[in-house]
Amino acid sequence: MTENAFYLPLGGDRYQPTEHTAGPWTPEAQHFGPPSALLARALENLAAERPGLLARVTVEILGPAPLTELSLRSWVERPGRSVELLGAELHDGTRAVARASAWRIAEADTTDVATEEPAPPSPEDCRPASWPDTWGRGGYLGAMEWRVIAGSPAEPGPAWVWGRQRVELVAGEKPTPLQRLFAVADTGNGASNFLDPAKWWFINSELTVHLRRAPVGEWIALDARTLVGPSGVGTATSTLSDVRGQVGHGAQALMVRTR
């Protein structure tokens, strides 16, 4: 690994993925944590008349994201004083790889009625996490630091883990907490897997994240559970937290197949 980022900026909203983005299913395609974070970065950077929160972001995965040059565009789909609909799209030169939509809600003071949930145990008090051997130790999984709160990604069943980027999202930039959250949020199905990844596909076709507040800090906790139905479809749902407590929830629709 020679670069210290998931992406190298090429200018003009073009980016070169590094080997840190490689996913566990195949080294020729990216784990969708980094592309989701890149789309969140584009949405986060869209100009706004007043401070707002990305309350819901959905990333539609339109196909594998190759480790080749990508271009990104973003726009305000529906402007508004209190609520806006935003959009972003990632291309590999010939096709759209992913499309994101987000509702941005203008901030208001609801401190007196805000609900809070306790924070997970501190990352410093948790042991390092391991992953199924068939997924290897490089690429995206190796570019992140993982710690176990409960369960284990290497064992079948639900898992509660902390994740933190070891590398930047875009070279030369410090990742924002929101970008860090999206780099972790797409890992719900992997962390809570209960099927042997050498025998089964359980790949998500989308990621939807609802947020109640902006995350803080470098660490994001993912409390994930995967359930599978009888017809090749499953769901992975996650509670997302930072060191202060819960910030929201994530969900993924899964295609489940034998390999």
Side-chain angles (χ1 to χ4, degrees):
M1 294 183 178
T2 58
E3 304 295 347
N4 197 36
F6 285 125
Y7 298 100
L8 306 178
L10 301 177
D13 289 324
R14 296 179 299 116
Y15 302 89
Q16 176 61 47
T18 71
E19 58 190 340
H20 293 299
T21 65
W25 297 112
T26 170
E28 284 76 40
Q30 299 179 52
H31 183 284
F32 242 89
S36 296
L38 195 64
L39 287 161
R41 171 180 172 270
L43 296 167
E44 186 179 30
N45 288 338
L46 282 169
E49 291 187 12
R50 54 187 57 79
L53 176 70
L54 296 182
R56 192 276 289 158
V57 179
T58 296
V59 177
E60 308 287 3
I61 300 173
L62 305 179
L67 272 71
T68 55
E69 180 181 320
L70 299 172
S71 61
L72 183 65
R73 68 185 187 98
S74 58
W75 62 92
V76 177
E77 182 83 23
R78 186 276 226 182
R81 292 181 56 83
S82 299
V83 180
E84 296 180 298
L85 181 61
L86 313 180
E89 201 166 65
L90 198 60
H91 287 256
D92 71 355
T94 60
R95 64 185 176 89
V97 170
R99 186 176 298 122
S101 63
W103 287 105
R104 182 168 62 190
I105 298 177
E107 292 182 8
D109 186 1
T110 53
T111 306
D112 290 344
V113 295
T115 54
E116 295 186 6
E117 296 289 337
S122 169
E124 287 72 23
D125 297 330
C126 300
R127 71 184 190 277
S130 58
W131 293 83
D133 291 337
T134 53
W135 279 347
R137 297 292 179 267
Y140 166 82
L141 293 179
M144 303 286 292
E145 180 178 0
W146 302 99
R147 293 183 175 271
V148 171
I149 302 169
S152 170
E155 301 295 333
W160 194 7
V161 298
W162 284 106
R164 176 172 68 171
Q165 289 174 234
R166 300 180 190 270
V167 302
E168 298 170 334
L169 177 63
V170 176
E173 295 182 12
K174 181 179 179 180
T176 67
L178 182 75
Q179 293 163 22
R180 291 179 178 275
L181 182 142
F182 275 88
V184 172
D186 190 66
T187 313
N189 59 326
S192 64
N193 75 84
F194 66 89
L195 299 171
D196 183 349
K199 299 178 180 178
W200 290 90
W201 301 107
F202 40 96
I203 301 175
N204 59 305
S205 60
E206 56 85 41
L207 167 68
T208 298
V209 173
H210 286 91
L211 294 170
R212 294 188 295 277
R213 64 170 174 86
V216 298
E218 296 184 345
W219 287 97
I220 298 297
L222 182 81
D223 188 359
R225 184 185 187 200
T226 292
L227 297 173
V228 175
S231 303
V233 177
T235 57
T237 54
S238 306
T239 298
L240 300 165
S241 304
D242 58 19
V243 294
R244 295 183 183 175
Q246 290 184 18
V247 297
H249 293 84
Q252 300 161 289
L254 307 180
M255 179 201 73
V256 183
R257 298 285 190 276
T258 54
R259 297 189 69 154

